[in-house]
Amino acid sequence: MTSSYFINTTLERTDIVKEAIEQFVFDHFGFLPPELIVVLISALPILELRGGIPVAHQLGLSYWEALFYGIGGNLLPIIPILLLFQPVSKWFLRFKAYKKFYDWLYNRTMKKSDKVEKFGAIGLILFTAVPLPTTGAYSASLAAILFFIPFRFAFFAIATGVVIAGFGIASIMYSVF
């Protein structure tokens, strides 16, 4: 089997998970204003902007509203992750189940973070700005922690990447669909 088969299979699984999460949010939080739904979806791992902005389009929000709420939602988890992941992880590493999860997360992040390792904070911008599965604010935050990039550089780089990705996704969604 070729590598394209595995890539396509992974992308299909990611799409199925994204659709299931979006449906869950609509089913359980559909009573919320559309703007808040977009913020919530954009703040969730896996979905991030790739889920929030298309939902904003589907809910009838304007291009600029989709950008504002999508980017805002995607930026929400960055500071807590950058500040709290290491101390919380140190405490949780005492448990075998978390250690197994941490090792998986570490290996997954390291596989995707060659640009971050090579270019530091500039690599974080590239890593975050390319809207592909397993890249985005969450993964970039973890990469910043693993490569000991200082908070102020990491936050600025990830936020810049989120803005670039937001403009790219919104431009495609609102011009093509």
Side-chain angles (χ1 to χ4, degrees):
M1 295 190 193
T2 65
S3 63
S4 64
Y5 169 79
F6 291 111
I7 291 170
N8 289 337
T9 304
T10 303
L11 291 174
E12 288 171 10
R13 287 183 190 151
T14 303
D15 287 340
I16 291 169
V17 170
K18 284 170 48 174
E19 288 174 19
I21 293 170
E22 285 176 3
Q23 191 61 48
F24 176 85
V25 171
F26 279 126
D27 290 346
H28 293 86
F29 299 102
F31 61 91
L32 296 172
E35 297 84 0
L36 192 52
I37 291 173
V38 172
V39 169
L40 288 173
I41 289 173
S42 297
L44 291 173
I46 300 174
L47 295 179
E48 300 187 42
L49 289 171
R50 295 175 297 276
I53 290 177
V55 166
H57 183 264
Q58 185 179 357
L59 293 172
L61 297 180
S62 73
Y63 175 88
W64 294 107
E65 289 173 317
L67 270 176
F68 179 77
Y69 294 113
I71 289 170
N74 202 201
L75 292 176
L76 284 176
I78 295 172
I79 291 174
I81 291 171
L82 290 174
L83 294 176
L84 301 174
F85 184 78
Q86 270 188 320
V88 170
S89 281
K90 283 181 184 177
W91 188 82
F92 272 110
L93 281 171
R94 300 182 294 174
F95 304 103
K96 283 184 183 181
Y98 183 78
K99 171 104 172 82
K100 186 175 179 179
F101 167 74
Y102 181 86
D103 291 342
W104 169 82
L105 187 63
Y106 176 84
N107 290 328
R108 182 181 143 267
T109 303
M110 295 306 273
K111 279 186 213 174
K112 298 279 186 177
S113 60
D114 55 331
K115 289 180 184 130
V116 176
E117 187 174 21
K118 186 174 181 180
F119 300 111
I122 300 293
L124 280 177
I125 294 172
L126 299 172
F127 187 79
T128 310
V130 178
L132 295 173
T134 70
T135 66
Y138 279 87
S139 298
S141 296
L142 295 175
I145 291 165
L146 295 174
F147 290 112
F148 304 103
I149 297 173
F151 174 83
R152 67 180 183 275
F153 296 124
F155 179 77
F156 177 75
I158 295 166
T160 301
V162 165
V163 170
I164 293 168
F167 272 99
I169 294 167
S171 295
I172 290 169
M173 281 304 303
Y174 283 82
S175 66
V176 174
F177 300 103

